[in-house]
Amino acid sequence: MAEPGRAPDWARERARGRVGVLPVGPRPQPGAGAAGGRALPMPLPVRLGDLAHAAGRRIAGWAAVEVEPGRLFPWLAIGVAAGIVLYFAAETEPASWAAATALAAALGLVVATRRRAAVFAAIGIAAVATGFLAATVRGRVVDAPVLRQPAFGAKLTGFVEKREERERSDRIVLRVGSFEMPRGGPVAADARPQRVRVSVRKGTAPPVGAHVALTARLSPPLAPLRPGGYDFSRDLWFHGIGASGFALGAVRPTPAPGPPDLGLRAAAAIDDLRESIDARIRAALPGDAGAIASALITGKRDAISASVNDAMYVSSLAHVLSISGYHMAVVAGLVFVVLRAGLALVPRLALTRPIKKWAAGAALVAAAFYLILSGAEVATQRAFVMTAIVLFGVMLDRRAVTLRTLAVAALAVMLLTPEAVVHPSFQMSFAATLALVAVYEKGLPWLAAAPRSRLAARLALWGAREVVALLVASLVAGLATTIFAAYHFHRVAPYGVLANLGAMPVVSGFVMPVGIVALVAMPFGFDGPLWRLMGAGIDWMTVVAQWVAALPGAVGRVPAFGADALLVATAGLVVVALLRTPLRWTGAVLLGVAMLLAGASEKPDVLIAPSGEAVAVRGADGRLTVLRIGSLNFAARDWLSGDADARPPDGPDVAAGFACDPSGCVARLSDGAAVAVARTAESFADDCARAALIVALRDPPEGCRATVIDRAMLKDTGALALRRTGDGFAVTRARAPGYDRPWSPTPTAAARPAVPSAGGTAAGASRSAPPPDATPAIEDIEPD
């Protein structure tokens, strides 16, 4: 019975959002029921308006919980990321003043609405404007010329800034001092690339800091090989690299015009240290085990054999090979635990001094040294920022593992290197971390609870909790990164949880601690046995990776799909992870929509590389047949991967669908229509009469009835994907009309014809020889 002057229970529950509607009809009288007669059932609402009103009240209550103080901070990072994505979506380079004005206007809106509910939307707009401005400013900072035309035999001098060892060659990054074209003389400083990346013969890469001269075959950085494909040119531009290629002949040391600057001298010293450690490791531990041990300690992962490297990727253990958040956590955690335990052995220190904070400070120093030793790649920098925030939280007596910590780390990375947002490394690492932190906050604290039974205590003693935690972490991280792995690499790892469960306890509890101890023991000369001991654990990890990779269906191939599915899936993941009320399940709906969008993507019938050096045609069997005309070997691998095709790119059946003679090649589409690649002028007479599509390597004649695509057109459109529609083709281009960004400037050719419809022609084909493309390595875009 309700007390006088007090609302009944059902009214109080409804005010709290726990009851959806008011009761309709007479209320049950006191005494009714078993003792006083039959109880009256509570009638259900009979009007849709009542349901809508109740649902609105419930949703409003949930929304009020989601905007409570402190709950919106992680969304600032989401807003900044959205602004950076908008920057990269622009077709022309934004003006700095426009981006700054937009941020000023957004901040003014925040001030104007500070006492209203609309301030939340204003803050979100300001976060988006902040990300947009950060990316715009970053573009101005790294702005450097990009090679416009291929250079055959360019003469270069400069300092070596970076060198990498690869399986069949070495690679250096050269800070250009002088640049001389073979037939054009010296290039002005404001027009030549500031840095070039050049492949050299294996074992001939000069040390970092050396001043050298070389002759190279250079080309502009590789553009996307298909619409929606990965843009290597954008990646290289943000690293200051304006051309890539390979050396012709020897790399010759030459006298430097002046001493190297402080940064280059520091880079040379660090590289010397890394090389000496790498040499010690691989002398004591040869083969793949030594290469992997060096990758874990120094970050040099280029000497791992292709078979082991592939097995690591297929089994979802590739994250072990690149130094990122996991490695930083192990190093910092080990130093923290060992130092704190050692100080705790001294009672006076343990009782009177903040040894926990001291240990956190020492762990921070160790993490910083590890960052420098490993080469300070972008992924490692991001991991260090995250680790540093956690350790600072320990030193300030604040809870470390929270969504706020993750948001601060993401903001730091995005404001310093906004380009990381569009890199798969950033996307996958933060998606995994976001999911793990969200699950930890909402579902895993029970792992730390005291056992409530004798069986639970015994299981905890046997390590059951650690096994369950590892299983849950692997499953959660794998699911969170699935959409990103499918989008960027067109594959998923169905047995990733199995591989991580079998290998990661050994890596975390044995391999990494032994490696750190070996590194400490190296100056004293006692590191050799420790490296060999570390190799035993690495051998176990390799066996697990190869076993999992050999399981049936270990490589889950996914056809390429559009960025719309990726953006919707990202929004769904963020909503599920950041919201706490039942509103978070709207994120599951978004994930379902993303799956539908990905599954609805149509495969192209024809693919043409941006230089015209490779053409792929889908035949009657539904598979692509690829014709490589020039030196662009990476296209076949990219196209087959995006088609979920398991055939190796150099397989004999990959090009079997093309019939070739000295004048050209012809392949048939599924409807029997011919696609011709014309090499000579004489071939046009027959091709124009019989083919539905002609890829021309020479000037096409006027009045050709077929759809003609030549190199002059490809300079403007970039790579093309064509889908057969009746008697014509629907064309998707990699470069939107009017697209002009610093890493992909508008072509300077006088004639840039539009993409023709069926029966159209395009004149003005380029007569120059096809530019060579330095084949990028898959690790250039693999997750770190």
Side-chain angles (χ1 to χ4, degrees):
M1 182 174 179
E3 299 178 5
R6 183 181 180 186
D9 292 341
W10 57 265
R12 294 197 305 275
E13 292 296 307
R14 182 177 184 274
R16 295 173 185 169
R18 298 177 183 173
V19 177
V21 294
L22 292 172
V24 179
R27 293 176 55 201
Q29 299 298 320
R38 185 172 60 87
L40 295 176
M42 183 173 292
L44 296 175
V46 295
R47 293 185 302 174
L48 292 178
D50 293 336
L51 287 174
H53 180 71
R57 290 290 300 272
R58 180 68 62 87
I59 293 173
W62 291 336
V65 173
E66 298 294 353
V67 298
E68 287 178 349
R71 296 295 304 278
L72 293 179
F73 181 76
W75 289 96
L76 290 178
I78 304 301
V80 172
I84 295 172
V85 171
L86 286 178
Y87 166 82
F88 285 105
E91 293 182 357
T92 58
E93 191 67 11
S96 300
W97 64 264
T101 301
L103 177 58
L107 294 176
L109 185 62
V110 171
V111 174
T113 60
R114 63 188 183 278
R115 301 185 184 278
R116 305 173 190 171
V119 71
F120 298 123
I123 293 174
I125 295 172
V128 173
T130 299
F132 192 84
L133 177 61
T136 303
V137 171
R138 173 67 173 166
R140 297 296 183 271
V141 170
V142 303
D143 192 16
V146 173
L147 188 67
R148 293 294 194 99
Q149 298 293 334
F152 306 100
K155 299 182 183 301
L156 309 170
T157 64
F159 286 102
V160 177
E161 285 192 337
K162 184 178 180 181
R163 65 173 175 173
E164 302 170 355
E165 180 183 353
R166 304 177 71 185
E167 186 177 9
R168 290 176 292 181
S169 66
D170 293 341
R171 194 164 65 181
I172 62 173
V173 174
L174 189 72
R175 183 193 297 178
V176 177
S178 65
F179 190 115
E180 185 176 340
M181 295 291 282
R183 289 186 297 274
V187 179
D190 59 349
R192 68 181 181 228
Q194 293 182 358
R195 293 175 179 84
V196 298
R197 191 171 70 181
V198 182
S199 295
V200 300
R201 287 197 304 269
K202 189 169 181 63
T204 64
V208 173
H211 190 270
V212 299
L214 56 90
T215 302
R217 190 178 185 185
L218 299 177
S219 64
L222 187 62
L225 295 170
R226 54 182 174 80
Y230 192 80
D231 193 345
F232 288 95
S233 62
R234 180 190 63 206
D235 226 16
L236 292 181
W237 185 78
F238 276 99
H239 284 85
I241 299 173
S244 61
F246 55 91
L248 302 172
V251 179
R252 307 175 302 278
T254 59
D261 57 30
L262 179 60
L264 193 56
R265 290 199 299 271
I270 295 170
D271 187 71
D272 288 342
L273 177 61
R274 296 176 69 199
E275 287 293 330
S276 62
I277 295 175
D278 176 69
R280 289 282 290 269
I281 293 174
R282 294 169 67 179
L285 191 61
D288 282 315
I292 293 175
S294 180
L296 296 176
I297 301 299
T298 69
K300 295 173 63 66
R301 56 193 176 109
D302 307 297
I304 303 171
S305 67
S307 59
V308 172
N309 202 50
D310 291 342
M312 297 291 285
Y313 281 111
V314 170
S315 63
S316 190
L317 289 174
H319 62 91
V320 178
L321 300 179
S322 58
I323 296 175
S324 55
Y326 161 76
H327 304 77
M328 279 288 174
V330 172
V331 171
L334 183 64
V335 172
F336 177 82
V337 170
V338 170
L339 185 59
R340 187 183 182 190
L343 293 175
L345 296 177
V346 183
R348 184 176 182 85
L349 286 178
L351 295 175
T352 62
R353 301 298 180 185
I355 61 173
K356 181 179 179 181
K357 298 180 181 181
W358 290 359
L364 182 61
V365 174
F369 175 74
Y370 193 37
L371 169 70
I372 297 172
L373 178 63
S374 62
E377 297 290 343
V378 174
T380 316
Q381 295 175 25
R382 181 169 60 251
F384 174 75
V385 170
M386 181 76 178
T387 304
I389 292 173
V390 172
L391 293 174
F392 276 121
V394 173
M395 289 186 281
L396 297 175
D397 296 321
R398 306 297 292 269
R399 187 182 176 192
V401 183
T402 65
L403 290 173
R404 285 190 181 185
T405 303
L406 181 62
V408 172
L411 285 170
V413 171
M414 290 188 294
L415 294 178
L416 292 174
T417 56
E419 66 274 13
V421 171
V422 294
H423 196 279
S425 171
F426 176 94
Q427 296 169 9
M428 296 182 72
S429 62
F430 270 104
T433 308
L434 174 64
L436 288 172
V437 174
V439 170
Y440 171 80
E441 287 191 342
K442 298 174 183 178
L444 287 185
W446 58 270
L447 286 173
R452 297 185 178 182
S453 67
R454 181 174 298 177
L455 177 60
R458 183 169 298 177
L459 290 175
L461 184 63
W462 288 346
R465 287 184 174 183
E466 287 73 15
V467 173
V468 172
L470 179 61
L471 182 64
V472 171
S474 299
L475 182 62
V476 169
L479 290 175
T481 57
T482 293
I483 186 67
F484 302 98
Y487 177 78
H488 291 289
F489 313 116
H490 319 300
R491 67 187 181 209
V492 294
Y495 304 127
V497 173
L498 181 62
N500 280 274
L501 189 61
M504 292 313 296
V506 175
V507 176
S508 302
F510 180 77
V511 172
M512 287 297 295
V514 172
I516 295 171
V517 174
L519 185 63
V520 174
M522 181 180 290
F524 303 97
F526 297 105
D527 56 308
L530 294 171
W531 296 129
R532 289 187 284 273
L533 192 62
M534 182 183 182
I538 292 174
D539 288 340
W540 169 257
M541 180 185 68
T542 303
V543 168
V544 171
Q546 292 175 332
W547 173 71
V548 170
L551 293 175
V555 182
R557 302 186 183 277
V558 180
F561 53 88
D564 53 350
L566 181 71
L567 292 174
V568 173
T570 303
L573 175 64
V574 168
V575 169
V576 169
L578 294 187
L579 299 187
R580 295 186 179 180
T581 66
L583 288 176
R584 66 179 180 272
W585 299 118
T586 58
V589 176
L590 292 175
L591 291 172
V593 172
M595 294 178 62
L596 293 176
L597 290 174
S601 299
E602 295 182 310
K603 293 183 177 181
D605 294 309
V606 180
L607 286 164
I608 305 173
S611 58
E613 287 197 325
V615 179
V617 176
R618 191 175 306 281
D621 60 356
R623 300 197 302 177
L624 291 176
T625 181
V626 183
L627 176 67
R628 289 188 293 252
I629 304 166
S631 59
L632 187 57
N633 297 323
F634 190 59
R637 180 171 65 175
D638 183 74
W639 291 344
L640 291 175
S641 175
D643 211 50
D645 194 328
R647 290 177 296 168
D650 55 353
D653 60 335
V654 171
F658 275 95
C660 297
D661 58 34
S663 63
C665 300
V666 177
R668 296 284 177 179
L669 293 166
S670 59
D671 62 355
V675 176
V677 179
R679 292 176 174 171
T680 65
E682 292 77 12
S683 65
F684 281 111
D686 191 50
D687 292 340
C688 287
R690 299 185 180 185
L693 174 69
I694 299 175
V695 180
L697 303 183
R698 303 180 61 89
D699 293 334
E702 296 291 340
C704 187
R705 293 167 49 188
T707 300
V708 180
I709 295 174
D710 61 19
R711 282 180 172 162
M713 181 191 311
L714 291 172
K715 287 183 179 180
D716 188 54
T717 64
L720 292 177
L722 295 87
R723 190 166 46 85
R724 186 72 165 152
T725 56
D727 294 334
F729 293 91
V731 181
T732 304
R733 47 193 290 169
R735 286 176 58 95
Y739 188 86
D740 186 14
R741 300 305 297 269
W743 54 86
S744 182
T746 300
T748 57
R752 294 191 302 270
V755 179
S757 58
T761 63
S766 173
R767 294 183 176 86
S768 63
D773 291 291
T775 301
I778 193 66
E779 60 265 22
D780 292 333
I781 58 172
E782 287 288 4
D784 295 324

